[in-house]
């Protein structure tokens, strides 16, 4: 699927690049993603005047490592799907579900299955009390 849910383990909430980097450093990283995007969402391809920077993380559960793999520029609709937990809390799941199904060309049943799989991974990753950060990705900016 082109568009997926990316549920961050609870112990990693509020630990993002904006809290680690200076505002000037974060600007360099996010603007590089915007430049790569060329005014289009890097997931659904929608042309938009306002892109949002999204951090992509990979999780090595056996080593307890959360690794930054990319920073991508996405539209608000894709970003709301990616962070579906927050979107649900804000009461916007129906719109996010419709966007997920449109982008992925799938049914509501497939949406629910993907959400169930994401929630299962989230529950599993929440059992790890502390994650080490791998920010090797940022070396390309130095």
């Amino acid at each position: 699927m082109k568009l997926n849910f990316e549920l961050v383990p609870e112990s990693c909430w509020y630990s993002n690049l904006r809290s680690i980097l200076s505002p000037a450093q974060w600007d360099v990283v996010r603007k590089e993603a915007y430049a790569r995007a060329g005014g289009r969402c890097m997931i659904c391809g929608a042309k938009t005047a306002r892109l949002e920077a999204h951090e992509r993380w990979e999780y090595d559960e056996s080593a307890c490592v959360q690794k930054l793999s990319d920073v991508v520029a996405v539209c608000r609709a894709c970003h709301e799907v990616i962070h579906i937990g927050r979107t649900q809390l804000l009461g916007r799941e129906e719109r996010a579900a419709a966007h997920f199904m449109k982008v992925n060309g799938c049914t509501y049943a497939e949406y629910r299955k993907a959400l169930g799989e994401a929630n299962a991974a989230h529950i599993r990753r929440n059992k790890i009390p502390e994650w080490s950060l791998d920010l090797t990705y940022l070396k390309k900016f130095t």
Side-chain angles (χ1 to χ4, degrees):
M1 299 214 184
K2 288 172 50 173
L3 177 57
N4 291 296
F5 310 107
E6 298 178 27
L7 305 179
V8 175
E10 291 174 20
S11 63
C12 302
W13 287 2
Y14 311 110
S15 174
N16 55 42
L17 291 185
R18 289 175 305 286
S19 66
I20 296 168
L21 302 176
S22 72
Q25 291 169 319
W26 171 241
D27 277 349
V28 169
V29 173
R30 71 182 178 86
K31 287 178 180 178
E32 186 272 341
Y34 298 156
R36 281 187 289 134
R40 294 192 174 274
C41 176
M42 294 173 81
I43 296 175
C44 73
K47 187 160 180 57
T48 180
R50 186 179 185 281
L51 290 167
E52 300 177 0
H54 171 69
E55 302 159 25
R56 286 244 163 108
W57 298 95
E58 296 173 356
Y59 298 91
D60 180 338
E61 295 174 38
S62 61
C64 304
V65 174
Q66 177 189 20
K67 179 181 180 180
L68 180 65
S69 62
D70 200 0
V71 175
V72 294
V74 298
C75 66
R76 181 177 183 188
C78 282
H79 216 183
E80 286 193 333
V81 170
I82 291 166
H83 295 294
I84 194 68
R86 180 179 186 280
T87 302
Q88 290 168 327
L89 290 173
L90 295 172
R92 298 197 290 248
E93 182 181 9
E94 189 174 325
R95 183 172 58 189
H99 188 69
F100 179 95
M101 291 183 288
K102 177 183 172 189
V103 171
N104 291 315
C106 69
T107 65
Y108 184 72
E110 291 167 315
Y111 163 81
R112 296 300 304 172
K113 180 180 181 208
L115 184 56
E117 291 168 355
N119 281 322
H122 182 64
I123 289 166
R124 192 178 61 248
R125 291 176 182 151
N126 278 334
K127 292 179 182 174
I128 297 171
E130 189 171 342
W131 292 85
S132 297
L133 275 182
D134 178 344
L135 300 175
T136 307
Y137 172 86
L138 296 175
K139 286 186 178 181
K140 73 181 195 173
F141 297 99
T142 57

